[in-house]
Amino acid sequence: MFDTHLHYNIDPLWTNWQSFLNEAQQQGVHSSIVVGFDLASSEQACAIAKQTDRVYAAVGLHPRDAQVENMHEAIQQVRVLVKSSDKIVAIGECGLDFYHLRAEQRTQSLPFQRELFEQQLDLALEMNLPVSVHSRDAEDVMLQVLSARFHTQTLPQIVLHCVSGSVAYIRSALKMGAYISFAGNVTYKNAENVRELARITPLERVLIETDAPFLSPEPVRGQHPNHPAYIRHTAEFLAKNLYHVSFEEFESATDANATSVFLGRKS
Ligand SMILES: [Zn+2]
């Protein structure tokens, strides 16, 4: 399996990432992408990837976690990082996040978030890299940004990580060539809306991820941290309940998708 989004760079995984990685490998995870959310975590992701075969890094500035004071300088630092390593396979995670923001806070942070995201979309285009997109309670603006770029041919390859949102939103994203990545929350009892998104995502566009240490899947939902090895639960659930194919067939489809998005595009 190919875990397309996780955080060995966040504690409690960070202090002991090698043993989590060993455990994941024993469960059949052959490749994974460690994802940054600010400069420090992006550097950590690169450091882990550098030491380890088939572990890759994504570098980027999260709309709410990254404390960005000077945007131009921060983007420049991300650019330098991308150029420093051939193990970087995506920009991200970046995007839009209005979760838990009141209307006026949302209005206030929107221009900043949008600009930060747009700059990273530009960087991805420049570097010929896909983008691991984080979007939470931001569907309308996200769609505006993506479709404006789609129509002007300035949209890099998009991966909607830990997907959520409406069926209409995902249909539009699929039309724009996006890949859709499902995390452990697709297994949750109350996540019928996320399962609905899997039903409309063709097997050729689906990816899997743990987003560990977050979002432990059923049947280990109560556990923290989420282990990268638990991706098997999510993959088995999707294969059996939503794609109605054998585990092996699902695994080989998602492996091929991840390989083509993240490993097939580097210039
Ligand atoms: Zn993440």
Side-chain angles (χ1 to χ4, degrees):
M1 287 164 284
F2 196 135
D3 189 346
T4 61
H5 187 119
L6 88 162
H7 301 285
Y8 284 129
N9 48 357
I10 294 180
D11 265 327
L13 301 187
W14 169 238
T15 39
N16 216 358
W17 64 268
Q18 272 111 340
S19 73
F20 284 103
L21 175 67
N22 287 341
E23 208 184 315
Q25 286 170 333
Q26 279 160 27
Q27 282 299 314
V29 179
H30 54 70
S31 305
S32 37
I33 302 175
V34 185
V35 179
F37 45 90
D38 60 12
L39 275 174
S41 61
S42 295
E43 281 164 6
Q44 288 169 330
C46 294
I48 292 171
K50 197 175 172 181
Q51 299 172 47
T52 319
D53 244 16
R54 304 192 75 158
V55 172
Y56 305 92
V59 297
L61 305 168
H62 185 284
R64 290 185 64 185
D65 293 344
Q67 304 296 321
V68 177
E69 270 146 37
N70 179 336
M71 197 183 297
H72 180 76
E73 193 183 311
I75 296 290
Q76 183 52 26
Q77 283 170 299
V78 175
R79 180 182 284 106
V80 168
L81 206 50
V82 174
K83 289 183 174 167
S84 74
S85 162
D86 59 0
K87 295 293 290 287
I88 294 171
V89 296
I91 298 296
E93 56 187 296
C94 57
L96 302 166
D97 189 331
F98 301 122
Y99 184 63
H100 278 169
L101 290 188
R102 293 192 310 271
E104 69 271 24
Q105 294 172 307
R106 181 189 159 110
T107 314
Q108 216 173 40
S109 76
L110 195 149
F112 166 79
Q113 287 203 25
R114 184 168 176 157
E115 180 61 21
L116 186 63
F117 182 41
E118 298 261 17
Q119 296 259 341
Q120 291 177 91
L121 291 172
D122 286 340
L123 182 61
L125 267 185
E126 177 191 329
M127 299 292 173
N128 191 28
L129 288 172
V131 184
S132 188
V133 173
H134 169 100
S135 177
R136 200 160 185 203
D137 284 356
E139 184 174 315
D140 296 349
V141 188
M142 180 57 72
L143 207 49
Q144 268 174 33
V145 171
L146 298 182
S147 35
R149 284 178 167 264
F150 181 68
H151 292 300
T152 53
Q153 296 178 348
T154 53
L155 184 66
Q157 175 64 59
I158 293 298
V159 173
L160 296 182
H161 122 76
C162 187
V163 72
S164 64
S166 72
V167 165
Y169 165 59
I170 298 310
R171 276 199 212 288
S172 306
L174 285 166
K175 279 191 196 128
M176 294 185 246
Y179 282 75
I180 311 296
S181 181
F182 291 91
N185 58 336
V186 72
T187 67
Y188 296 174
K189 204 172 167 188
N190 62 355
E192 192 50 40
N193 57 330
V194 182
R195 286 188 282 280
E196 209 48 60
L197 305 180
R199 290 188 190 103
I200 61 160
T201 300
L203 194 55
E204 304 76 45
R205 294 286 192 85
V206 63
L207 298 170
I208 50 172
E209 63 172 287
T210 53
D211 206 13
F214 312 111
L215 292 175
S216 301
E218 293 289 1
V220 288
R221 183 175 177 179
Q223 279 191 29
H224 187 78
N226 183 13
H227 287 229
Y230 292 160
I231 197 164
R232 180 171 282 275
H233 295 302
T234 305
E236 281 172 352
F237 181 92
L238 282 157
K240 178 163 181 255
N241 300 304
L242 293 159
Y243 286 90
H244 311 291
V245 293
S246 68
F247 175 77
E248 290 70 23
E249 199 176 329
F250 185 75
E251 181 187 21
S252 83
T254 49
D255 277 358
N257 295 343
T259 303
S260 116
V261 179
F262 293 108
L263 307 183
R265 299 177 60 87
K266 290 214 73 170
S267 54

